[in-house]
Amino acid sequence: MRKKFKNINLLLVFVLSFVFSFGQDSTALEKEKLFTLIDYIQNYYVEDLNQHTLVEKAIKNILKDLDPHSVYISKEAVEKTNEPLKGNFEGVGIQFNILQDTILVVATISGGPSEKVGLMAGDKIIKIDQEDVAGIKIDNAGVAKRLRGDKGTEVIVGIKRSEIKKILYFNIVRDKIPIFSIDASYMVNDSIGYVKINRFAANTHIEFKEALDELKEAGMKKLILDLKGNGGGYLKTAFRIADEFLDNGRMIVYTEGVNSPKKEMKASHYGTWKTNKIIVLVDQSSASASEIVSGALQDWDRGLVIGRRTFGKGLVQRPFPLPDGSQIRLTIADYYTPSGRFIQKSYAKGTEAYRKELNDRYKSGELTDSMKHAFPDSLKFKTSGGRTVYGGGGITPDVFVALDTTGVSDYFMRVVRTGVVNKFVLNYLNKNRKQLKKYYTTIEYFEANFEINDTFLEGFVKYAKKNKIEEDKEGLKESQAVLATRLKSLFARDLFSEEAYYIISNKHLNPSFQKAVEIFENNQFNKLLNRDF
């Protein structure tokens, strides 16, 4: 009987796919055929069927055959999926980690409900609404389920604080908690500013403008915009970010599809960084909105793009609601850079091959050698200044920076992948936070004076061994510098801020950042752009 169910399911998928293959003239007839088929199944099929499951599988299979970015989202997942791009969620406002089966508060979000009632970094949450949550093997989803909730609702948490024996109870009234898309914004030196954007969300432009204004006030004359690992977000937000840099009337991006007329998006006169120098950092995970910004600046010879070829997503999705509260995100148009480049990589070999494409780049050596990726002449385009750029498969940087695997031993990968590095930092801070905060009062002092020495690393190795990562002397020797920097960066983040992490790690673990600083400091920017300004 189960085999019959599968056959019916495949038949429904086939018929639905068949409907989509017809033009407008046949739509009514094909819809009637589809509904007739469903009616026959519902009234005459030998088994009881779960119609909901049947239809959901059919929808997913249809969308899968269209393109890799047209997707179905269940009713339950719609709000969760939209949350990171809306820029906020409702909850108590903490960053947490689970250490030794206990919820550890890593930081409270500034101005959030938890900070207001007095929760502190280092607190251990052992009760939530009288439920014991320590030692029950709770996971991140379990914590979120208990602490998130509608604005105005209350949750009572029981806290164990290191210097106090009794449990402290806090009544926290949930509120809107901002999700920030600017990870870091700081002055590298007297003239170079750095901004790291992790996504293009609803509030990103406002955050970016604030960061830009603060850096200009601090004396910034040149900007490094870090979009590495930024998978994109809202098209409108990408447009607004790019608008800050381009002259009034210049094309930023245009979109076009069979059922979507050509729409041009051009820069306004509102931007505040129209002439100063800018370098954009990208890598193989920079996608969509990141490619719109970097592609527009590259096409107008407005800034340099440094790093590795970007992901290659040039398709525009629009959400469409379904009657039960679920949703499909359907590709409605292609987007093109100002020079006419369509940067979507091919998905002709199917979704599975598309998903593995980044891994194929790694295996081919492209991420470590720019000559491993050849472009046909048909993909060549010209910038406004006559430089050659390429379409079809991402934004190719003006300056290639190889993926740095120096010091990345198997031992290093094991301690990072299993979470031992993070756990060690949390465990150490849990015991020494008060003393460290008292001694290292600023990130500048911490950067200059905090040292991960041999004795410290020996302690780490012992801790890793307790967590079932056997000592590897050769691996440790190979990765000592990288591991020390990773540890120091994580300590800085948990003692100060997310920004502190980048202040330290960029100098040692971000070759693209280092190259950008070198280009600015050695006055190579204009030469590489073939422009004088």
Side-chain angles (χ1 to χ4, degrees):
M1 289 298 183
R2 184 57 51 198
K3 188 173 182 181
K4 286 184 181 179
F5 176 85
K6 280 187 175 180
N7 289 339
I8 291 293
N9 185 29
L10 290 171
L11 178 61
L12 182 55
V13 171
F14 172 77
V15 173
L16 285 169
S17 302
F18 189 62
V19 170
F20 271 77
S21 70
F22 277 82
Q24 291 284 44
D25 294 341
S26 305
T27 299
L29 177 61
E30 298 311 322
K31 281 182 180 178
E32 186 180 349
K33 286 174 64 177
L34 171 61
F35 294 139
T36 301
L37 169 65
I38 294 174
D39 191 50
Y40 285 154
I41 294 171
Q42 193 169 2
N43 290 296
Y44 298 107
Y45 186 60
V46 65
E47 293 181 12
D48 287 333
L49 296 178
N50 185 322
Q51 294 290 327
H52 176 74
T53 302
L54 195 65
V55 171
E56 286 211 346
K57 285 185 177 180
I59 293 172
K60 289 175 184 176
N61 276 280
I62 290 170
L63 295 174
K64 185 179 72 174
D65 287 340
L66 295 181
D67 68 79
H69 298 288
S70 289
V71 295
Y72 169 78
I73 306 170
S74 68
K75 178 183 178 181
E76 296 74 23
V78 167
E79 189 61 33
K80 190 175 181 180
T81 302
N82 289 334
E83 205 171 70
L85 293 181
K86 286 183 176 179
N88 59 65
F89 64 93
E90 293 177 352
V92 300
I94 63 167
Q95 295 176 13
F96 70 89
N97 216 315
I98 297 173
L99 180 66
Q100 296 168 352
D101 213 10
T102 302
I103 306 164
L104 181 70
V105 178
V106 174
T108 56
I109 294 175
S110 180
S114 292
E115 184 193 56
K116 288 177 181 177
V117 298
L119 258 69
M120 299 168 58
D123 284 345
K124 297 173 183 176
I125 301 177
I126 60 174
K127 286 181 178 289
I128 300 177
D129 284 335
Q130 299 305 313
E131 177 192 0
D132 290 324
V133 291
I136 64 169
K137 299 191 182 302
I138 197 168
D139 58 14
N140 289 343
V143 179
K145 180 181 177 182
R146 290 164 173 81
L147 294 182
R148 287 193 181 187
D150 294 336
K151 178 181 177 179
T153 59
E154 185 179 75
V155 60
I156 301 172
V157 298
I159 297 296
K160 184 71 181 73
R161 190 168 285 170
S162 57
E163 65 272 20
I164 300 173
K165 290 183 178 181
K166 67 177 183 179
I167 298 175
L168 303 175
Y169 287 96
F170 294 84
N171 292 45
I172 306 172
V173 178
R174 297 181 178 96
D175 203 346
K176 282 197 176 293
I177 309 300
I179 301 175
F180 296 106
S181 47
I182 304 290
D183 282 338
S185 167
Y186 67 92
M187 291 296 293
V188 178
N189 56 31
D190 291 342
S191 63
I192 301 173
Y194 170 87
V195 177
K196 167 75 172 173
I197 302 179
N198 61 51
R199 64 172 71 85
F200 288 84
N203 296 331
T204 303
H205 182 239
I206 295 172
E207 290 180 50
F208 181 68
K209 282 277 289 179
E210 291 173 353
L212 209 58
D213 289 343
E214 287 178 8
L215 292 175
K216 285 189 291 183
E217 186 70 23
M220 177 177 66
K221 305 294 184 219
K222 305 160 190 173
L223 172 65
I224 299 173
L225 178 61
D226 194 342
L227 301 181
K228 295 194 320 301
N230 185 323
Y234 291 136
L235 173 66
K236 191 173 288 187
T237 302
F239 162 74
R240 287 172 177 160
I241 298 293
D243 189 24
E244 292 295 325
F245 309 118
L246 292 170
D247 290 336
N248 184 31
R250 288 194 164 177
M251 181 84 71
I252 291 175
V253 64
Y254 67 90
T255 63
E256 193 170 15
V258 172
N259 297 303
S260 299
K262 184 177 181 179
K263 181 180 179 181
E264 298 180 343
M265 304 178 77
K266 296 182 179 180
S268 70
H269 62 275
Y270 293 110
T272 60
W273 197 259
K274 301 285 190 182
T275 57
N276 295 77
K277 296 172 182 177
I278 177 172
I279 290 177
V280 184
L281 309 184
V282 298
D283 63 10
Q284 63 278 5
S285 297
S286 305
S288 189
S290 293
E291 294 170 305
I292 289 172
V293 173
S294 53
L297 296 183
Q298 190 179 55
D299 278 3
W300 288 111
D301 296 301
R302 175 65 186 85
L304 283 173
V305 179
I306 292 179
R308 295 177 290 283
R309 182 166 65 97
T310 60
F311 183 86
K313 181 181 181 291
L315 305 175
V316 182
Q317 283 72 49
R318 176 182 163 189
F320 291 91
L322 295 174
D324 66 345
S326 60
Q327 183 185 97
I328 63 168
R329 286 191 177 171
L330 191 65
T331 297
I332 61 166
D334 302 325
Y335 75 72
Y336 299 84
T337 71
S339 67
R341 288 186 284 169
F342 177 49
I343 55 88
Q344 173 65 43
K345 63 185 178 183
S346 174
Y347 49 88
K349 293 181 180 178
T351 302
E352 192 61 30
Y354 183 84
R355 304 283 184 223
K356 292 180 178 178
E357 193 266 345
L358 289 186
N359 192 48
D360 292 340
R361 291 193 206 182
Y362 181 80
K363 288 180 179 178
S364 72
E366 182 194 330
L367 301 184
T368 53
D369 184 351
S370 63
M371 302 306 291
K372 293 289 186 180
H373 186 77
F375 290 92
D377 289 341
S378 60
L379 294 178
K380 285 184 178 180
F381 291 79
K382 292 293 183 182
T383 69
S384 61
R387 294 185 304 131
T388 299
V389 290
Y390 299 92
I395 300 296
T396 301
D398 302 305
V399 179
F400 174 79
V401 176
L403 178 68
D404 187 10
T405 57
T406 306
V408 182
S409 65
D410 288 342
Y411 179 76
F412 177 79
M413 289 302 296
R414 283 200 303 275
V415 294
V416 170
R417 190 174 59 247
T418 56
V420 168
V421 171
N422 284 350
K423 289 177 183 176
F424 174 78
V425 170
L426 289 169
N427 191 62
Y428 189 89
L429 282 174
N430 190 41
K431 297 174 181 176
N432 303 283
R433 184 183 296 272
K434 193 173 182 180
Q435 301 93 303
L436 289 171
K437 289 288 284 184
K438 185 177 180 180
Y439 187 72
Y440 298 104
T441 54
T442 66
I443 177 59
E444 291 79 15
Y445 188 76
F446 177 86
E447 183 186 9
N449 296 281
F450 185 82
E451 183 185 359
I452 305 290
N453 55 28
D454 290 343
T455 303
F456 205 102
L457 285 175
E458 286 172 11
F460 172 80
V461 171
K462 289 178 182 176
Y463 181 86
K465 201 168 184 178
K466 288 180 181 178
N467 284 267
K468 301 179 181 179
I469 305 293
E470 287 302 314
E471 183 176 356
D472 176 357
K473 290 183 179 179
E474 287 301 314
L476 181 62
K477 183 178 179 182
E478 181 184 348
S479 298
Q480 184 167 334
V482 175
L483 179 59
T485 301
R486 174 69 70 96
L487 288 168
K488 185 172 180 177
S489 300
L490 290 170
F491 276 120
R493 183 190 68 185
D494 289 351
L495 283 172
F496 299 99
S497 65
E498 188 77 16
E499 187 173 281
Y501 174 90
Y502 289 95
I503 289 174
I504 293 172
S505 66
N506 277 342
K507 287 185 178 181
H508 306 282
L509 300 178
N510 190 344
S512 295
F513 169 85
Q514 295 157 26
K515 186 66 178 176
V517 173
E518 177 191 318
I519 288 170
F520 276 146
E521 290 186 336
N522 294 338
N523 296 317
Q524 298 172 329
F525 183 85
N526 289 349
K527 182 179 179 181
L528 289 167
L529 272 181
N530 296 324
R531 288 189 64 178
D532 293 319
F533 70 96

